[in-house]
Amino acid sequence: MNARIMAAPAAATVRRSRYAAPGLYLFALPATLLFVVFIAYPILWVTGQSFFTRSAGGAPVFTGLASYREAILDPVFWTVVRNMALWGAITIPVQMLIGGLLAYFIERHTIRLRGFFRTMFFLPVVTSVSVISLVWVQIYAPYYGIAQAYLKHVGIVMTSSAIGDASSAIYALILVNIWQWTGFSMLMYIAGIAGLPGEVLDAARVDGAKGWRLAVHVIVPMLAPATKSLLLLGVIGTLQTFPIVHLMTGGGPNHASEVFGTLIFKRSFVLGDTGAGATLSVIVLLIALVLSLIQIVFLGASLSPARKERP
């Protein structure tokens, strides 16, 4: 009798959840529709376009995987891969290192001018890319540029612009990117430092940790979530690089500073070969997917501090 009485509410709960479940799915419908319309459908459309090319009359011609083979055999493709590897390998760690040092010294060694320094170092992040490109083109200008004004004191005369030389163009653009986005890394680390538990820092100081030792052995490990976030955003930002390169060099000279963004733009909108542009876009998507999986495997999917395992 008692078991029958206890089982009745449980059965009623199961019936209610069974009838309520279809209604609950409606709450996910807007997000699902947005995902399908603005993400899933464009990806499928671009993937379909990558298997076609345009004939002389403009009619679509099915080529299958031939466009992928042609893209991979193109020497410009491997120049782009090299540039993207350099871009990510240099900008991500340098931005995190300089941004972390700036955040530490601003938060720990400034009081009255803390807001001023935060604003000044973050200012390039919110500045228009067009303005940044114009300023740095003038800085790199030979004979009369700002860089030349300082280099002349050590006997160096710039006879050509750094972005006009094939051997230095990509590094000159990487420097501009670091200058622009280091403030964002600083802001992420400032938020991380503000969220550090004070009792842990006090305990470390009681144990004798201070100065550089406190920063390296206590603060840096506790900032791991901010570091993981910056690493993930850095990889995504590297694959999305386009405005600075397009405005300052256009991928030149002779494709020396070409990146995926500028190459896809040229193939699709300058040459009108949407099939080749779609093929490169799918390749970039696959590279992003592989890099994301690698990050999940080695760094974990969670960007927050480690949570306790459920019993």
Side-chain angles (χ1 to χ4, degrees):
M1 181 67 183
N2 291 337
R4 196 180 303 169
I5 294 174
M6 293 176 63
T13 304
V14 171
R15 283 197 298 272
R16 281 199 301 270
S17 60
R18 185 180 300 169
Y19 288 116
L24 292 177
Y25 284 121
L26 292 176
F27 289 99
L29 184 60
T32 304
L33 288 176
L34 289 174
F35 174 81
V36 171
V37 173
F38 294 106
I39 297 179
Y41 175 71
I43 290 176
L44 293 176
W45 186 86
V46 170
T47 304
Q49 290 295 312
S50 67
F51 297 119
F52 290 88
T53 186
R54 297 286 177 181
S55 64
V61 179
F62 182 76
T63 58
L65 296 176
S67 56
Y68 288 91
R69 181 175 179 274
E70 184 180 349
I72 293 174
L73 293 179
D74 187 357
V76 177
F77 174 83
W78 294 107
T79 301
V80 170
V81 172
R82 168 186 164 274
N83 289 340
M84 300 306 296
L86 285 173
W87 197 284
I90 295 176
T91 58
I92 296 174
V94 171
Q95 285 175 0
M96 289 197 296
L97 178 62
I98 299 176
L101 290 174
L102 289 174
Y104 179 76
F105 284 106
I106 289 174
E107 294 304 301
R108 295 294 171 183
H109 299 289
T110 62
I111 298 177
R112 297 181 59 183
L113 296 177
R114 183 174 297 171
F116 170 78
F117 285 117
R118 287 177 177 177
T119 304
M120 288 299 102
F121 286 112
F122 191 71
L123 195 59
V125 178
V126 296
T127 303
S128 169
V129 179
S130 302
V131 175
I132 291 174
S133 301
L134 180 63
V135 169
W136 277 90
V137 166
Q138 296 303 315
I139 290 175
Y140 287 141
Y143 299 111
Y144 66 90
I146 299 175
Q148 177 60 70
Y150 290 99
L151 291 175
K152 70 180 181 183
H153 296 295
V154 292
I156 298 176
V157 178
M158 295 175 60
T159 57
S160 63
S161 172
I163 57 176
D165 189 337
S167 62
S168 61
I170 188 65
Y171 299 102
L173 294 173
I174 288 173
L175 178 61
V176 178
N177 188 73
I178 292 173
W179 178 84
Q180 182 186 8
W181 290 103
T182 295
F184 181 77
S185 299
M186 176 202 71
L187 192 68
M188 291 286 288
Y189 280 122
I190 285 177
I193 291 173
L196 295 180
E199 59 272 17
V200 175
L201 298 177
D202 292 337
R205 292 190 182 95
V206 170
D207 290 339
K210 60 182 179 180
W212 186 252
R213 190 177 178 186
L214 177 67
V216 173
H217 296 287
V218 179
I219 295 178
V220 170
M222 289 196 297
L223 290 176
T227 302
K228 291 180 181 179
S229 300
L230 287 172
L231 184 59
L232 176 63
L233 295 174
V235 171
I236 296 173
T238 298
L239 293 175
Q240 292 180 337
T241 300
F242 174 72
I244 287 180
V245 179
H246 178 66
L247 292 173
M248 293 187 66
T249 65
N254 193 24
H255 301 292
S257 62
E258 203 80 75
V259 293
F260 276 122
T262 55
L263 187 60
I264 292 172
F265 177 81
K266 290 176 181 175
R267 294 282 194 271
S268 301
F269 301 104
V270 177
L271 301 178
D273 190 352
T274 54
T279 301
L280 291 169
S281 300
V282 173
I283 292 174
V284 173
L285 178 65
L286 294 176
I287 293 174
L289 180 62
V290 170
L291 293 177
S292 299
L293 291 176
I294 291 174
Q295 285 185 314
I296 290 174
V297 170
F298 288 98
L299 301 178
S302 175
L303 297 178
S304 59
R307 292 173 295 183
K308 293 182 179 179
E309 296 293 337
R310 292 183 179 178

